[in-house]
């Protein structure tokens, strides 16, 4: 009898924790904002950046998430990795509209940034925010329109 009571209490506690976790995580409904298969893909080579700005994994993650919001994009998830003390960082922010990624080489003062967004999101605003925050004096940018043939 005591074992049944403990199992019941444990199950109830697990359900409570699950409900609490579900309330914390925003549920994203793509039905409310359909995206056509049209978008802009920006590739940017940023150079002349102070090395410490390119080593801080947490700061770069915060920067790219903020840049996505500035562009009007919806962040789904992010993952960043530091290659060790004094080394570069690689990271990606997954968006409802696609992605933003960065790879840094502090020893060269260089960051490669990739921004692809569809829908009403504005990738140039994200790039401007990243470039300004990193204080990059040089930016080489390529822009590619992405679309299936019937929308080209």
């Amino acid at each position: 009898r005591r074992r049944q009571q403990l199992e019941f209490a444990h199950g109830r506690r697990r359900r409570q924790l699950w409900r609490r976790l579900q309330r914390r995580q925003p549920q994203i409904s793509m039905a409310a904002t359909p995206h056509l298969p049209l978008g802009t893909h920006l590739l940017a080579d940023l150079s002349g950046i102070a090395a410490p700005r390119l080593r801080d994994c947490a700061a770069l993650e915060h920067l790219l998430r903020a840049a996505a919001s500035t562009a009007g994009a919806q962040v789904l998830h992010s993952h960043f990795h530091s290659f060790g003390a004094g080394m570069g960082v690689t990271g990606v922010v997954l968006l409802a509209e696609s992605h933003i990624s960065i790879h840094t080489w502090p020893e060269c003062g260089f960051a490669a940034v990739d921004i692809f967004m569809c829908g009403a999101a504005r990738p140039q605003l994200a790039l401007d925010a990243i470039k300004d925050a990193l204080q990059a004096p040089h930016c080489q940018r390529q822009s590619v329109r992405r679309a299936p043939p019937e929308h080209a």
Side-chain angles (χ1 to χ4, degrees):
R1 174 87 176 130
R2 177 73 178 139
R3 184 175 174 192
Q4 287 177 333
Q5 289 173 334
L6 287 174
E7 287 175 358
F8 178 76
H10 179 70
R12 182 176 39 171
R13 179 70 180 142
R14 189 173 35 203
R15 286 188 300 275
Q16 288 171 341
L17 289 172
W18 178 252
R19 283 193 295 270
R20 188 179 307 154
L21 179 64
Q22 292 299 343
R23 282 194 299 266
R24 273 192 220 156
Q25 295 178 346
Q27 299 300 312
I28 298 168
S29 169
M30 295 307 296
T33 56
H35 296 283
L36 293 173
L38 309 172
T40 302
H41 200 154
L42 299 180
L43 302 174
D45 293 341
L46 307 178
S47 57
I49 304 167
R53 295 183 189 283
L54 300 175
R55 292 183 181 128
D56 189 336
C57 197
L60 287 168
E61 181 171 9
H62 178 76
L63 170 59
L64 266 63
R65 290 176 74 95
S69 295
T70 297
Q74 187 173 29
V75 174
L76 300 176
H77 182 71
S78 60
H79 184 78
F80 282 70
H81 173 79
S82 172
F83 290 100
M87 304 292 284
V89 171
T90 189
V92 63
V93 177
L94 300 178
L95 308 172
E97 297 79 5
S98 196
H99 69 272
I100 300 177
S101 66
I102 191 167
H103 196 84
T104 70
W105 289 266
E107 66 277 12
C108 300
F110 178 75
V113 178
D114 178 326
I115 304 170
F116 178 39
M117 294 180 183
C118 60
R122 298 168 58 191
Q124 184 61 51
L125 293 179
L127 178 58
D128 292 343
I130 294 167
K131 190 174 84 168
D132 291 348
L134 294 178
Q135 297 178 354
H138 307 288
C139 176
Q140 257 190 302
R141 180 184 80 98
Q142 297 176 48
S143 179
V144 178
R145 179 168 152 59
R146 308 292 297 266
E150 63 271 16
H151 291 285

